[in-house]
Amino acid sequence: MFISTTPDISSAFPAKALRELNGFSYVPVMCMKEMDVPNSLERCIRMMVHVNTQRGQMEIKHVYLEGATHLRSDMTETS
């Protein structure tokens, strides 16, 4: 699992919090900082999970919450 944060998140390691969840003790995690681009989304944590599946790409549902929906509006359902 890859976790990236915007530069304004600095008070804790996301991987440490993840490992406290049931079932994540032995999941390999790599944390990194996002590039500091002017006027970009603030206070954002992104997670990329690699899984083995028989499903096709069009069957996978990508989740974007709150302000992150504008990052990939082509993959976000609007209601």
Side-chain angles (χ1 to χ4, degrees), residues 5-55:
T5 64
T6 50
D8 52 354
I9 297 176
S10 60
S11 60
F13 290 106
K16 184 177 186 303
L18 180 72
R19 287 198 178 97
E20 292 176 3
L21 297 175
N22 189 27
F24 285 88
S25 298
Y26 300 105
V27 174
V29 179
M30 178 180 277
C31 294
M32 62 205 79
K33 290 277 189 183
E34 291 278 342
M35 296 172 15
D36 193 7
V37 177
N39 302 315
S40 61
L41 186 63
E42 297 178 342
R43 299 176 56 197
C44 183
I45 299 172
R46 295 181 184 186
M47 301 174 75
M48 181 173 14
V49 181
H50 291 255
V51 298
N52 292 322
T53 181
Q54 297 298 316
R55 293 182 183 210

Side-chain angles (χ1 to χ4, degrees), residues 56-72:
Q57 281 187 310
M58 298 305 292
E59 296 176 87
I60 304 296
K61 180 176 176 18
H62 299 273
V63 179
Y64 294 85
L65 303 175
E66 298 179 21
T69 57
H70 85 277
L71 296 172
R72 286 299 303 265

